[in-house]
Amino acid sequence: MLEFGSNLDIPPLEALRGNTDSRQLRHQLGRRIGIEENQIERGPWSLRNALEANIGHAALLCFQTQSEVASQSLLFHRMGEEGIDQALKDSIPYFLGALAPDEARKRAQLRDAKRTLSRLEAEYERALRIVETIDVELSALHAEALTVGLVTALPEPDRLSLVRALQAARSAPAGPVTYAETPEQQSRRHALEDQRDELRKTLRGVMENRSLLLNEHRAANEYVTALSQQESRLTALNLVPSAASDGGSLDHSSRECPACGSHLEHADPTAEVLGRSLEELRVQVGTLTGARPSQRQSLESLDLEAAELREHLRVAESALQDLQRANRIQEESGAEGRDFTRGRIDAILARLAVVDDASLEVIRQQLESARSFVAELGADLDDENRREQLTSRLVAVGRDIKRFAERLGLEHSDDDVRLDLSRLTIVADTDSGPARLSRIGSAKNWVGYHLATHLALHGYFVRQSRPVPRFLMLDQPTQAHYPAENDNSSGLPSEDADRLAVRAMFELMYDAVQDLAPDFQVIVCDHADLPENWFQEAVRERWRNGAALIPAEWLL
């Protein structure tokens, strides 16, 4: 539950209600200690999102648990958890003041300014090229417009007259475009038309002959059919005897009745007449039937000739169509070419607006302004300057770390001691090379350098009014000096060396608080209970003999 006001009382239990979440709580508390809107870029090739430093990151600099304060590898709170070490590396430069809070905004402005600068440089270069080539382009364009019939020839063309003529051509009404045949094309077209007409005439003659042949064939078929019917009637009842198998003539003088077969006294002449008629019919039918193969051959010959004539006619007509289509394309391309030329006139006349001296001067001034803005932002966001700002602040913190280490009598305190932000550790620059905290032995040195580092950082935060909570909480910083159970109970170390070391630690914390008062507080949970007055005045609670941080009645 989060409420704001100038005169607030602790609300009763029944009035408590949830009205925020952890993200908003960090945001609100961060604003009240001075954390401004910020965005820390991860680098141009990083796959991680940009980081916004908040009070959660600042709190990592205010706590040291029992396992952390005596660690040789963990210098900051929760540093061993996934992602926390990188968050510390990214946020500590902001809390030291090496990064401006509006750096992300300036980087976005720099990207936009560079794009604008590139556009203006390209526009200025294009304008200079236009100035150099515009007269040549206008002359070439006028010649092109003259070719397609949009303008007339000019006696003495200069830039002004060319521009006026092209402007008139751009707005001139569009008329039809006709294409005149060449003599060769005209002769070709007439020859094809004559060939087409001759082929059509010949084809008509062939088709007429075929029609006559078909009509004749149809009449012959009808005649053969009639003769065949007559022959069928005469031979239907076998009244007339057939010709002898040896090719002899029929005997029509028989005295036998052809109907009943009885003997007649006198020969019947009817049978003889019918026999002769039947014989003539058979001869005629045979003659007509023999003529049919020659008729079929004639029809096939006419059909083949007609097919060849149609193919030649199709080729002639296709050639004529191609010639007409070519003429039509020439006419259409002439109209399209004129429209294309008008489009080029529009484009080139539009470019004339940027070639006069006033327009060039405007572009040049915009270009200079953009260059100055990019240079100014680039200087503010220079990576080298950023590293220099961070190094300067780390050097100031390192001086206090060395001073505090000398007071505590730590190893390598005579050498230069610095905070290595890339590895989040303390480094002593010795004659034999850098010595990191992990290579400096004994828990006394590990605790001492933790205490010296955090006091030096908070001293810098307070003096520079940086937005970090003004407290440091330590859990059992004297654990290396309380090896026995009786020492834990009495609150006093067993040996004089341990007593001196513990007193030196608390004196350092006391002096740091006094030096930064009233803007800094150190909260210590420890077994130490020194008899000195200044120490006893600083004690707020003694959790022994049943007394604890959480009262026993709360657990019932």
Side-chain angles (χ1 to χ4, degrees):
M1 178 176 174
L2 184 62
E3 286 192 4
F4 300 97
S6 58
N7 187 16
L8 296 177
D9 295 328
I10 298 177
L13 180 63
E14 59 273 11
L16 296 179
R17 68 188 188 280
N19 62 359
T20 188
D21 55 21
S22 58
R23 181 178 179 276
Q24 286 297 323
L25 180 63
R26 287 194 298 268
H27 179 79
Q28 293 293 339
L29 294 180
R31 291 294 179 268
R32 276 153 182 76
I33 68 171
I35 298 179
E36 302 173 339
E37 292 186 3
N38 63 89
Q39 191 174 19
I40 302 171
E41 298 289 341
R42 301 284 193 170
W45 307 111
S46 177
L47 298 178
R48 294 175 288 117
N49 296 327
L51 174 73
E52 182 178 3
N54 55 49
I55 195 172
H57 300 115
L60 298 175
L61 307 175
C62 300
F63 294 95
Q64 287 282 280
T65 65
Q66 180 179 355
S67 60
E68 293 167 346
V69 74
S71 174
Q72 65 185 109
S73 57
L74 303 178
L75 185 60
F76 294 98
H77 183 49
R78 297 175 56 192
M79 181 176 152
E81 299 180 17
E82 183 179 1
I84 297 297
D85 56 344
Q86 189 60 51
L88 285 166
K89 294 177 184 179
D90 293 335
S91 60
I92 287 178
Y94 168 75
F95 291 121
L96 287 172
L99 299 181
D102 59 346
E103 179 173 345
R105 177 179 58 82
K106 286 186 176 181
R107 288 190 180 277
Q109 290 179 341
L110 180 60
R111 288 192 295 269
D112 295 339
K114 286 182 177 180
R115 285 194 292 266
T116 302
L117 178 60
S118 299
R119 178 181 58 80
L120 289 173
E121 287 177 344
E123 186 176 346
Y124 189 67
E125 291 293 332
R126 185 168 60 253
L128 291 179
R129 288 195 299 270
I130 291 174
V131 170
E132 296 174 355
T133 62
I134 190 62
D135 292 330
V136 177
E137 290 184 359
L138 287 175
S139 299
L141 187 59
H142 183 269
E144 181 180 342
L146 183 63
T147 302
V148 297
L150 290 177
V151 297
T152 58
L154 296 176
E156 296 180 358
D158 55 7
R159 179 184 295 184
L160 182 58
S161 61
L162 289 173
V163 170
R164 288 177 178 175
L166 292 174
Q167 287 176 342
R170 181 176 57 179
S171 58
V177 178
T178 58
Y179 177 75
E181 290 181 324
T182 62
E184 293 79 6
Q185 292 174 332
Q186 193 175 41
S187 299
R188 173 63 175 167
R189 179 172 59 82
H190 285 303
L192 289 173
E193 289 175 350
D194 293 341
Q195 182 183 4
R196 178 196 61 186
D197 295 340
E198 185 64 28
L199 288 171
R200 286 177 177 176
K201 180 180 179 181
T202 305
L203 181 60
R204 282 195 299 269
V206 170
M207 296 308 295
E208 289 174 356
N209 293 335
R210 187 178 185 278
S211 178
L212 291 174
L213 185 58
L214 288 175
N215 292 334
E216 181 183 355
H217 180 68
R218 187 180 305 110
N221 285 339
E222 292 175 354
Y223 185 62
V224 169
T225 302
L227 293 177
S228 298
Q229 290 176 355
Q230 294 296 330
E231 180 186 7
S232 298
R233 294 190 186 101
L234 293 175
T235 60
L237 300 176
N238 294 323
L239 298 177
V240 180
S242 301
S245 59
D246 58 356
S249 61
L250 292 172
D251 184 7
H252 301 295
S253 62
S254 176
R255 292 180 179 271
E256 294 181 357
C257 180
C260 61
S262 61
H263 182 74
L264 299 175
E265 294 181 0
H266 301 283
D268 190 352
T270 303
E272 183 179 357
V273 173
L274 292 174
R276 290 194 184 100
S277 298
L278 179 59
E279 190 68 22
E280 292 176 356
L281 288 173
R282 286 173 176 170
V283 173
Q284 292 177 2
V285 169
T287 301
L288 291 175
T289 304
R292 287 181 179 178
S294 62
Q295 290 178 345
R296 285 195 297 270
Q297 292 177 358
S298 298
L299 282 173
E300 291 176 357
S301 176
L302 289 174
D303 289 339
L304 181 61
E305 184 179 1
E308 292 178 354
L309 288 172
R310 288 192 184 95
E311 179 64 21
H312 292 313
L313 182 60
R314 185 189 65 79
V315 172
E317 290 179 342
S318 178
L320 273 174
Q321 292 176 357
D322 291 342
L323 186 60
Q324 294 171 356
R325 187 181 301 109
N327 293 339
R328 188 166 55 253
I329 291 174
Q330 291 288 346
E331 294 177 359
E332 293 176 355
S333 62
E336 292 176 356
R338 187 169 61 183
D339 293 338
F340 177 75
T341 302
R342 282 179 172 172
R344 283 173 40 81
I345 291 174
D346 287 335
I348 293 181
L349 291 182
R351 292 162 54 188
L352 283 174
V354 297
V355 299
D356 58 281
D357 295 339
S359 299
L360 283 176
E361 181 62 22
V362 170
I363 297 176
R364 190 189 64 78
Q365 291 179 0
Q366 292 176 347
L367 183 60
E368 292 299 326
S369 177
R371 285 174 177 168
S372 300
F373 188 53
V374 168
E376 181 181 352
L377 289 176
D380 293 341
L381 300 174
D382 181 52
D383 291 336
E384 186 64 30
N385 179 63
R386 181 179 180 180
R387 287 190 293 269
E388 185 178 355
Q389 292 290 334
L390 179 59
T391 300
S392 177
R393 286 160 174 77
L394 290 177
V395 168
V397 172
R399 285 197 296 265
D400 285 344
I401 295 176
K402 174 180 172 61
R403 181 165 56 88
F404 296 155
E406 290 175 344
R407 285 190 57 176
L408 297 176
L410 304 180
E411 292 185 17
H412 300 298
S413 59
D414 295 335
D415 301 313
D416 290 334
V417 182
R418 56 186 171 85
L419 173 62
D420 187 352
L421 197 57
S422 62
R423 296 181 176 86
L424 294 179
T425 189
I426 292 298
V427 177
D429 295 315
T430 67
D431 294 337
S432 59
R436 299 188 182 92
L437 182 62
S438 58
R439 293 176 52 193
I440 301 176
S442 83
K444 171 188 175 182
N445 289 291
W446 302 334
V447 172
Y449 275 114
H450 275 72
L451 181 60
T453 299
H454 284 82
L455 289 177
L457 281 172
H458 279 275
Y460 185 88
F461 295 151
V462 172
R463 287 191 295 270
Q464 300 298 323
S465 300
R466 300 305 303 159
V468 178
R470 301 288 193 254
F471 73 90
L472 173 63
M473 186 170 184
L474 307 172
D475 186 12
Q476 300 190 37
T478 64
Q479 56 188 284
H481 305 284
Y482 285 84
E485 182 64 27
N486 61 342
D487 294 330
N488 291 338
S489 300
S490 65
L492 294 174
S494 58
E495 300 179 359
D496 291 339
D498 288 331
R499 291 176 183 269
L500 292 176
V502 169
R503 182 181 296 111
M505 291 173 57
F506 281 100
E507 286 179 346
L508 177 61
M509 288 184 275
Y510 181 82
D511 291 342
V513 171
Q514 294 299 317
D515 183 46
L516 301 174
D519 297 324
F520 184 59
Q521 179 185 18
V522 177
I523 304 173
V524 183
C525 296
D526 203 278
H527 295 288
D529 192 3
L530 303 182
E532 283 79 1
N533 291 334
W534 57 267
F535 185 92
Q536 294 299 319
E537 291 175 356
V539 174
R540 292 295 177 265
E541 298 289 343
R542 285 184 172 85
W543 293 323
R544 291 190 175 92
N545 301 321
L549 174 62
I550 300 176
E553 59 269 18
W554 287 16
L555 304 178
L556 297 180

